[in-house]
Structures are given as structure tokens and as C-alpha cells.
Amino acid sequence: MPSKGYSVGESVMVKWPGSALWYPAVIMSIEDDEYKVRFEEGTEDEVTAESIRSAASFRRRSQSKSPSRRRSRSRSPARSPSRQRVSRSPGRKTPAKKQTIISQSKSETKVQLTPTRSKRLLATRSTTEVHTYTTRSSTKLGHQILEPVVDIKTGKVPKTVHYEFGGPFGAFFIMVSLPLFIYYLYFTCSKEECSLQLWPAHTCDWRDYFDLEAALLFLGWMGLQAFFYLLPIGSVVKGLPLRNGQRLDYKLNGFFSFILTLILFGGLLYKKYPVAMVYDKFLPLLTTAFIFSIVLSIFLYIKARRAPGHALAPSGNSGNFLYDFFMGHELNPRIGNFDFKVFCELRPGLIGWVMIDLAFVVKVWTDFPENPPWALLLVTFFQMLYVADSLLFEHAILSTMDIIHDGFGFMLVFGDLVWVPFTYTLQARYLADRPSLAVMPDYCLVIVLAFGLIGYYIFRASNSQKNAFRENPYASQFASANVLITASGKRLLVSGWWGWVRHPNYLGDILLALSWSMCCGFGSIIPYFYPIYMLVLLVHRERRDSDHCRQKYGNVWNKYCAQVPYRIIPYVY
Ligand code: NDP
């Protein structure tokens, strides 16, 4: 039983948050039921009385001959060099090859494994078993960087028991409604009219929806981007550890592909190739992309059924075909070094988005050469900046939820190849359809430009701050920052952008999205679809992320939420 009445300065044993391990610590201060304690190796934390025992009770137990004696001794910090200790003493160098496993599931046996030995063990054990350890490595500058805690789990990925997106029914609804919605958006915001209509005028001739030229153009585009991806140019980096401890190699040459594509676009323009045909073939291009996304998703699902159990996605392994098809059954589907998810996430859709915008600019500017389409140029500039940023910081995608958590199925395939290029171009299409529309005096566009740049600044600065913190939480720029230390040793930044709101990057994204729509003036709500959608998407994403963080960090995450109460918009939400 926890004995209350501890005093400041007293040496006690404290249960490490989120674990079953007890360590010697000293009580620093007491406030209500909160005890601030300092562990022997210097880590400070706040715990409740339930996590404190008197040091004497531990000594007594270790002398007893009860069966529990062995268990308590095997967990004693003095006998097992702790993961937390390895990860929390920034100054101490731990050779990367001597990683120490400190907690094992039921067996309770204390072992020290080098990575080679751990691999051997993993190869010979078939049941699910969990090992946890933290690795360190050195940067080129000689700094120690903390790598994520690795949960090595052998055996199959457990079944998905918690449904997201409303389960199989929700998945089915989304799969049917989203494509219909994109067509609806196309017809409800046409050249003639752009307003919410219940049943907008639309064509019923299938040849308007599909033609061979558009199909070949789309397939050529996919082939071109795949070719650029495979070029032996760009750095190769390791992804985050998978559940079996493996780290996949990723080639990062997205920005290079973007520049090559722009040069190619310029060359085609110079050669007077009719790039503006993209404007006329928007509908058949959309249909081809949609059909392609279905075919690719089916292929990925079939491939996933043959994938090893440990390679499946934890979120798409329910056993329900519809749900797994939607969520993605395999986490990182690959053929050789060709990673389908990373390829689709950043290249054909994102770069395609900019290319469609540019084709619209060419269309309008060639039709009305004496009248530069400033608003359309501004939208294109903003969106190019956004895409260039994603590609320049391509490595950041490797730690996103999409890559480390979500499988690659219809949800992401459709999102990457259809949703992004054919809905995110809505503002540009609205302006291209109305070349003579004066949405606002040109000087007002300067205000929109400033608004968008502020959004971009918040977006970029906050993302960069978190990336820098994740890379090296001991960097001098974080010397005086407030941080919270989680049980796994990972830290949460509670200063700067991340002490202002819990997702400053989402706020920047929303402001940026709003500025794109403002380029279209205020004549119709439809061009504002994107910021409204982003708001809904990011609010939902923030909640999903918060749930994941609560699972990962437990009470420390709750503490972070208490210290930074607003999720995205300061003083509002
Ligand atoms: P984040 O980049 O915000 O990553 C969330 C993760 O950051 C958490 O899971 C946690 O992971 C870590 N984290 C959270 N709080 C802290 C903290 N205080 N200190 C340190 N680490 C913290 O989320 P996303 O991957 O969703 O978004 C990345 C970018 O992509 C954003 O700018 C977003 O706006 C944009 N985006 C754009 C979309 C679009 O369609 N245009 C769609 C989705 C995202 P851990 O602790 O494991 O490191």
C-alpha cells in the first residue's frame, strides 16, 4: 500500500511512469497529491503517491524468500541497466552496438542483446514477444542524437479491433461518396455557374468522361514520375524502425523530380506542345485517375494477402475485406526498392497538382496575352510554394502518421492520385474558367499575399522546430526550453510554437489554405471548399493524433494537454 506522509528530501523508490519498474529517487517538492521527484540519474518528474514506496519496504522485500523476491530483484534498477538511463543522459556515450534490453514480456528474464543477437533471436522465435530498447547514433557534427524507442515485436501484427472512419460501413460510404463528390464539384462549379446546386447540369455521354488521349497522358505521367523516382540520384535515408526492428531505405529525390518536371514543362511550352489541353481534358483525366486508383488498390490488397504477417498495417488488419481494402492491409508495400506509398504520397499527385495549375495559367495567358491573370498567378505561386516545401522537406514524411501507422489502401491511393490533384486545383480552375472576372483590385492581392506568407511562415517554422527537436532535443536552441519527458525517454516540447498551441503547423496550413481561396474573391462559397475541408480534416487528424499520443505517452500527454490547452487555434479551439 502506498504510504503517504513522505517529506521533501526523503529517499524513496518511485515507479517509472508508464512502466512497472521502480527506481531510487529523492522527493524535491510536494503539492497536494503531486510529488516532484528526481531520479538518481537526474531525470525529474511529477508523480502521485501511488507511484511512491518507501526505500525500506524494498529492502525488506529483497531479503524475503518469497517467490516475489526473484521478480522484484530482476526488475531492480541496480541489476538491470535501464532503457531510461541509456536514453536520458545526454552527455554519456553509449556505443551503438551495445544496446540493452530492459523489459521483456512475461518471461522476466534479464538479457543484454547486441542487435546481431537480437536479430538471431527474432528469427528463431515465432510467438509474439516485445523487446524495448533505445538506440543512439552520432550525427556528422558529432552530436549525440536520440533515436526513437524501438519496440521490436516478432510474429504477426495483431488484429485491428478498433475501427476508425465508422468501420466497414463508413469505409464503404466514403469510397462511394468521395468520387461522386469530386464529379459533383466539377459540375456544380463550371464555367457557366459556380454555386451549390442540388442536381447540377451534367453530361451523360460517356465519351465526355473518358478518352484514350487523356488515359495515355495520365499513364505517361505516372510512368514519367516513376522513372524520375528510380533515377540513381538523391540521398538514401533510413525510415523509422518497423515492428521487427528493420529500417527501410528510402530514396529522397522528390525535389529533384519536381525541378526536372518543371524543366520538361518549360521545354514542351517552348516547343509549342499544347500543354493547355489539360484544361480541356480535366474530366477524362479525372476518370482515368479514379480507375487507376481502384486498380492499384486492388493490386495492393492482393499483394498484401501474400505479405508476411509482420508487414501488415496495424490499422488495416481487421479481417473485414472492405475495411482493410480501404485502410490499406500492408504497411509499406514495395516491389524491390520501389515503395508505392512514398512514391504516391509526394510525386504524381502533388507535382501533378502544380502542373494542372500551370496548364491553366498557360491556357488563360495565351487566350488573353494582354491581361496577366494576377489572381491565378498568385494561387499558382502559393500552391507551388506549398508543394516545393513538401518535396524539399521530403524526409519529414517518413515520420508522419501516413507512413508509420496507416496502411496503403484505397484511402491513401485515392487521396494521393485523385483527391489532391483534382480538388486542390479548384481555385485555379475557378479563375481559369473566368479569365475576365476582376475578383478584387490588384492591390488587394498584395494583402492576400501577405496573409498567405504569414500562414506559410507559421506552417514552416513550427514544422522545422519540431523536426529539429526530434532530431536533437539537446541542441543549444532547446537549452532553456520547457520539455516533458515521457516514460519511453522521448521528450515533448512545451516551448516555442509547441507551447503556444498543440498543432501550430495545422494552424499555418489552414491560414495558407484560406489565402488561396481569397484569391478567388468572395463571389462564391465553392472556391472556399478547400479551407473548409482542411479545417475538418485537420481537426479530425488532430484528434486521431492526440489519441495515438495518449496511447504512446499516457499521463505525460495529459500533462502536455493541460499545459497547452488549445489544440489548433489559440483561445478558440
Ligand atoms: P505533425 O507533424 O504535427 O506530427 C504529430 C506528431 O508530432 C505527434 O504524433 C508526435 O509524434 C509529435 N508531437 C506532437 N506534439 C509534440 C511536441 N509538443 N513536441 C514534440 N513532438 C510532438 O502531424 P502530421 O504528420 O499530421 O502533419 C505534418 C504536416 O502535414 C502538418 O503541417 C500538416 O498541416 C500537413 N498536412 C497536410 C495535409 C494536406 O492534405 N494538405 C494533410 C495532413 C497533414 P512523436 O512524439 O511520435 O514524434
Side-chain angles (χ1 to χ4, degrees):
M1 286 298 292
S3 81
K4 298 209 176 175
Y6 303 110
S7 52
V8 174
E10 187 177 342
S11 293
V12 288
M13 296 296 282
V14 177
K15 190 174 172 190
W16 191 270
S19 80
L21 307 170
W22 293 81
Y23 296 91
V26 173
I27 297 179
M28 311 286 294
S29 62
I30 304 171
E31 202 172 303
D32 300 328
D33 193 30
E34 287 252 301
Y35 293 74
K36 188 168 184 186
V37 297
R38 178 185 286 158
F39 291 92
E40 274 184 344
E41 39 60 274
T43 305
E44 292 183 6
D45 210 337
E46 282 171 10
V47 295
T48 56
E50 277 69 34
S51 299
I52 303 181
R53 299 276 191 281
S54 73
S57 74
F58 268 74
R59 277 196 289 276
R60 267 201 307 278
R61 216 184 277 180
S62 69
Q63 283 153 10
S64 96
K65 289 186 177 169
S66 73
S68 64
R69 177 182 157 203
R70 240 169 298 144
R71 194 164 53 236
S72 69
R73 278 169 63 96
S74 73
R75 284 179 175 179
S76 129
R79 305 195 105 224
S80 77
S82 76
R83 148 178 60 123
Q84 287 84 355
R85 282 188 192 187
V86 172
S87 67
R88 283 165 193 237
S89 48
R92 209 170 62 202
K93 288 201 172 188
T94 308
K97 282 197 168 175
K98 279 206 174 175
Q99 303 305 338
T100 307
I101 292 178
I102 59 119
S103 73
Q104 284 192 285
S105 54
K106 301 285 176 214
S107 68
E108 301 289 336
T109 324
K110 183 166 71 76
V111 286
Q112 292 198 345
L113 296 184
T114 60
T116 330
R117 195 177 153 212
S118 83
K119 263 187 216 148
R120 238 184 296 132
L121 271 178
L122 294 175
T124 54
R125 290 179 192 185
S126 58
T127 50
T128 299
E129 187 175 313
V130 182
H131 305 281
T132 311
Y133 65 92
T134 305
T135 62
R136 274 171 182 276
S137 63
S138 302
T139 63
K140 280 182 191 151
L141 297 171
H143 296 309
Q144 286 287 300
I145 57 167
L146 191 66
E147 293 189 348
V149 170
V150 184
D151 277 343
I152 296 184
K153 298 166 188 160
T154 58
K156 289 182 178 173
V157 168
K159 284 269 175 232
T160 309
V161 285
H162 171 69
Y163 280 140
E164 297 181 89
F165 299 102
F169 179 76
F172 179 73
F173 177 76
I174 295 173
M175 283 193 281
V176 173
S177 60
L178 280 194
L180 286 177
F181 182 75
I182 300 187
Y183 284 102
Y184 169 79
L185 215 50
Y186 177 80
F187 289 116
T188 206
C189 189
S190 64
K191 245 185 201 168
E192 291 74 34
E193 205 182 338
C194 187
S195 62
L196 284 175
Q197 301 159 64
L198 203 56
W199 196 249
H202 58 280
T203 167
C204 290
D205 186 347
W206 69 270
R207 280 164 298 202
D208 290 329
Y209 290 89
F210 185 82
D211 80 40
L212 196 59
E213 208 177 3
L216 291 176
L217 187 62
F218 180 82
L219 292 177
W221 170 251
M222 293 299 290
L224 180 76
Q225 289 307 317
F227 172 69
F228 287 163
Y229 177 61
L230 290 172
L231 285 178
I233 297 168
S235 55
V236 176
V237 304
K238 296 256 179 234
L240 291 181
L242 301 174
R243 62 180 277 118
N244 64 353
Q246 188 197 359
R247 296 178 70 180
L248 297 173
D249 284 337
Y250 290 95
K251 172 124 53 70
L252 302 183
N253 65 4
F255 191 70
F256 171 77
S257 302
F258 184 45
I259 299 296
L260 273 188
T261 310
L262 285 176
I263 292 171
L264 195 66
F265 185 87
L268 291 176
L269 208 56
Y270 180 73
K271 288 279 174 196
K272 304 227 175 322
Y273 184 83
V275 289
M277 72 190 280
V278 169
Y279 174 82
D280 302 314
K281 297 213 173 277
F282 192 85
L283 194 54
L285 277 172
L286 161 62
T287 306
T288 311
F290 176 43
I291 295 172
F292 187 90
S293 72
I294 297 174
V295 174
L296 180 59
S297 306
I298 293 173
F299 164 77
L300 291 169
Y301 184 77
I302 294 171
K303 183 180 172 313
R305 292 301 300 253
R306 294 152 177 247
H310 67 78
L312 301 181
S315 58
N317 189 29
S318 68
N320 181 294
F321 159 71
L322 213 56
Y323 186 76
D324 295 346
F325 175 78
F326 175 74
M327 294 296 286
H329 196 32
E330 192 177 352
L331 187 61
N332 300 293
R334 286 182 160 208
I335 292 181
N337 280 337
F338 191 90
D339 189 291
F340 286 93
K341 200 200 289 185
V342 163
F343 169 70
C344 289
E345 281 270 293
L346 284 180
R347 288 140 195 268
L350 270 191
I351 301 178
W353 169 16
V354 170
M355 290 304 126
I356 294 175
D357 279 1
L358 285 174
F360 289 174
V361 170
V362 171
K363 158 94 184 149
V364 175
W365 219 341
T366 31
D367 286 355
F368 301 92
E370 71 297 340
N371 197 9
W374 291 117
L376 178 56
L377 282 169
L378 186 55
V379 169
T380 306
F381 162 75
F382 276 143
Q383 299 185 344
M384 262 177 102
L385 179 70
Y386 191 72
V387 170
D389 180 281
S390 312
L391 295 167
L392 208 53
F393 295 91
E394 191 179 4
H395 61 278
I397 196 179
L398 301 182
S399 55
T400 58
M401 211 168 17
D402 290 4
I403 300 297
I404 60 182
H405 181 262
D406 293 335
F408 195 45
F410 184 83
M411 176 177 77
L412 287 183
V413 174
F414 179 82
D416 293 341
L417 302 183
V418 189
W419 185 260
V420 168
F422 294 97
T423 61
Y424 290 12
T425 43
L426 178 61
Q427 296 98 340
R429 188 164 62 80
Y430 176 84
L431 291 167
D433 278 344
R434 294 161 182 75
S436 50
L437 178 74
V439 286
M440 60 180 84
D442 286 347
Y443 68 86
C444 286
L445 289 174
V446 178
I447 300 170
V448 177
L449 174 67
F451 186 80
L453 290 179
I454 290 171
Y456 176 72
Y457 175 70
I458 297 174
F459 166 82
R460 175 50 28 228
S462 55
N463 274 321
S464 293
Q465 189 176 56
K466 181 165 68 75
N467 292 344
F469 183 73
R470 275 284 167 258
E471 213 165 86
N472 184 6
Y474 308 113
S476 55
Q477 71 181 106
F478 302 114
S480 56
N482 281 341
V483 294
L484 285 171
I485 305 171
T486 67
S488 65
K490 231 175 167 187
R491 290 160 183 249
L492 292 172
L493 185 60
V494 199
S495 289
W497 293 106
W498 298 83
W500 185 45
V501 283
R502 274 183 253 157
H503 265 101
N505 49 354
Y506 288 4
L507 175 65
D509 222 334
I510 291 165
L511 294 181
L512 199 49
L514 200 56
S515 69
W516 304 349
S517 297
M518 283 159 71
C519 293
C520 300
F522 303 97
S524 167
I525 181 78
I526 306 276
Y528 285 81
F529 161 73
Y530 180 70
I532 296 168
Y533 155 78
M534 277 301 279
L535 189 69
V536 174
L537 176 123
L538 293 177
V539 164
H540 178 247
R541 197 175 169 94
E542 193 279 334
R543 287 185 177 260
R544 278 183 84 202
D545 186 57
S546 189
D547 287 347
H548 291 153
C549 288
R550 188 162 291 113
Q551 275 169 21
K552 273 188 290 186
Y553 304 134
N555 212 25
V556 180
W557 182 256
N558 292 335
K559 255 184 210 175
Y560 175 59
C561 295
Q563 288 183 33
V564 184
Y566 294 101
R567 294 168 186 266
I568 300 178
I569 307 172
Y571 305 106
V572 178
Y573 176 76

